[in-house]
Amino acid sequence: MSLGAMEDLFDADAHWMSRAFEQANEALTADEVPVGAVIIRDNAVIAAASNQRESLHDPTAHAEMIAITQAAAAISDWRLERTTLYVTLEPCVMCAGAILQSRIPRVVFGAKDPKAGAVCSLYQLLVDDRMNHQCSVTSGVLAEPCGRILTNFFRSKRALKKL
């Protein structure tokens, strides 16, 4: 890949990650853990979601899971081929499993999750050749703001707990 093509890809990744970050801000406004996700196909958003575990009382209501469900409905197919998932936080084991099952070929994430990350931090599920599908992974896109929003959220939660 040429340097120009790599710069174009980086610019596109930053653009779509900023859209996922908008979803994370929506989660923050709803007092949810601020994680957002978008799924892109043919250079257009086909799904956008934020964490909704608290509001839906559903432990599976992670941004990625909701976005995958929306995307499958949008294209009327469970195989999300020719898509890219952008998510502000490294996916967990549950979300990585759903990504593999839905055949998403590329995942781009912002901040690493050292406590639950299943892409590179604790596990490398998306590139494990023992699985029936693997993904291309790009990490660290807008990592600083994606990590900062989470750090600030949990810092404020701990401060409230002390009161």
Side-chain angles (χ1 to χ4, degrees):
M1 184 180 289
S2 71
L3 183 58
M6 288 182 0
E7 288 172 347
D8 290 345
L9 183 60
F10 179 79
D11 289 345
D13 285 348
H15 169 76
W16 295 120
M17 185 62 72
S18 70
R19 298 286 297 272
F21 192 78
E22 291 170 7
Q23 293 295 312
N25 273 316
E26 286 187 26
L28 181 65
T29 301
D31 201 32
E32 297 274 358
V33 174
V35 176
V38 295
I39 297 179
I40 308 306
R41 183 174 185 187
D42 299 329
N43 209 32
V45 175
I46 62 168
S50 60
N51 271 3
Q52 296 180 44
R53 292 191 323 169
E54 299 297 333
S55 59
L56 296 178
H57 309 289
D58 180 353
T60 69
H62 289 199
E64 303 96 306
M65 300 293 284
I66 296 167
I68 288 169
T69 299
Q70 288 176 357
I75 66 168
S76 299
D77 195 349
W78 65 267
R79 293 172 195 86
L80 299 180
E81 297 165 338
R82 299 184 6 251
T83 64
T84 300
L85 167 66
Y86 291 85
V87 61
T88 58
L89 181 65
E90 178 182 358
C92 69
V93 171
M94 173 182 68
C95 294
I99 290 163
L100 293 171
Q101 290 299 315
S102 61
R103 307 298 193 266
I104 294 173
R106 182 167 185 251
V107 174
V108 179
F109 71 87
K112 288 185 178 180
D113 186 350
K115 294 184 178 181
V119 177
C120 64
S121 293
L122 296 178
Y123 307 101
Q124 295 82 40
L125 291 178
L126 299 185
V127 296
D128 189 327
D129 62 6
R130 296 172 295 176
M131 305 302 259
N132 64 334
H133 175 72
Q134 292 82 41
C135 302
S136 165
V137 175
T138 302
S139 64
V141 176
L142 302 184
E144 198 279 325
C146 291
R148 184 177 58 237
I149 193 173
L150 287 158
T151 299
N152 291 343
F153 174 80
F154 287 114
R155 184 176 291 142
S156 70
K157 288 292 183 190
R158 285 190 300 275
L160 285 174
K161 229 178 194 180
K162 287 181 181 180
L163 298 176

